[in-house]
Amino acid sequence: MKVLHVEAGKHYYGGARQVAYIVEGLARRGVSNVLACPPGAGIAAACAGHAQVVEMTMGGDADAGMALRLARLIRVERPDIVHLHSRRGADLWGGIAAKLTGTRCVLSRRVDNPEPRWLVALKYRLYDHVITISEGIREVLLSEGLAPQRVSCVRSAVDAAPYLQPVDAAAFRREFGLPENARVIGVVAQLIARKGHRYVIEAMTALRASHPDVRVIFFGQGPLREELEGEVAERGLTEVIRFAGFRTDLPRWLGGLDILAHPADMEGLGVSLLQASAAAVPIVTSRAGGLPEAVADGVSGLLIPPGDVAALTAALARLLDDAGLRRRLGEAGRARILAEFSVDAMVEGNLAVYRRLLSHN
């Protein structure tokens, strides 16, 4: 079997990392992989040993030439399956390229934002099958008219091994300039509006008096950094909330957190939550999208209504004030990740979809 994977993201964030897991897992199972990605994309190096990497211009939704470039690549490589892993034009133009060449096409859908029924009816004709990374996303597509037999859920995975090692607490505090007695809340997400950083800032405004030892670290980069830093300064929280940027060494430090907060308004599944659970960190997150699948309420974390700052504040306070509860949720979260979110299960799930499609030829 030969699969052409199309990933248009330039940065090696959660979605691209999932693609790399799939490509490596398929290669180990004897599948031949070709990866199309933009020049300089972070995923290229990650997949170089497991796929033929073809870098090409990917200019987004307005780049109609992407369809022709991908069609040429398909005609040269003759894959059995084209697997589209991202948006930014890869979904639309990749689907058209597959149609032009008569090649089976699979779309991975990682976001839970709704689309108009007319668009779903039109756009999803391009794909032989859709794989969602959570049941929440699958339900969105079914509600918009996609036939149940054309969409499967294969959840995102996490390689738990790097997160199982204990973190040196003193080294963690030195690395991020934290007081010795600090309890630490982390947010691991792009600095974009839907991830809910502002809710955390509001919650800390309320908690700082009762919990003066608490510190917050925002891990990630994005267009809202300057704006968020300004709000932190305006509220007098500069000593409380730190901006750590995008860290490639996150597995080394994630287990140093006391709590992971992820009050997102929308989320497909939330890979950073799976990573935090693997590191035995308890989580506070929203009942939005696939997040209730990533975090079991009362088992591995606490769920709150999206956008509810009072509920976020209360949940954080509850965990901060109960070390035993933090420990129990963290341990249960790790056990759940090891049992239910393995990379092997995700690879086998994708491979099963490919095999079903090819058996219908």
Side-chain angles (χ1 to χ4, degrees), residues 19-58:
V19 179
Y21 286 155
I22 293 169
V23 168
E24 180 178 355
L26 291 173
R28 293 185 188 282
R29 289 161 173 78
V31 175
S32 176
N33 298 287
V34 181
L35 170 69
C37 63
I43 193 175
C47 290
H50 309 289
Q52 175 191 341
V53 178
V54 179
E55 298 186 4
M56 65 169 63
T57 301
M58 295 185 176

Side-chain angles (χ1 to χ4, degrees), residues 163 165-173 176 178 182-189 214-220 240 242 244 247 249-262 272-273 275-284 316 319-320 323 326-327 329-331 334:
Y163 301 94
Q165 299 302 315
V167 174
D168 182 327
F172 175 76
R173 279 158 175 72
F176 298 103
L178 301 166
R183 289 174 293 172
V184 187
I185 299 169
V187 180
V188 181
V214 173
R215 297 294 183 269
V216 177
I217 304 176
F218 285 170
F219 294 97
V240 176
R242 318 288 174 85
R247 301 285 300 224
D249 59 349
L250 194 60
R252 179 181 177 187
W253 303 117
L254 194 59
L257 299 175
D258 293 285
I259 302 168
L260 183 90
H262 193 79
S272 65
L273 280 68
Q275 294 167 339
S277 283
V281 176
I283 297 166
V284 176
L316 291 174
L319 286 182
L320 288 168
R326 293 200 304 271
R327 184 175 60 255
L329 295 178
E331 291 172 354
R334 173 175 282 177

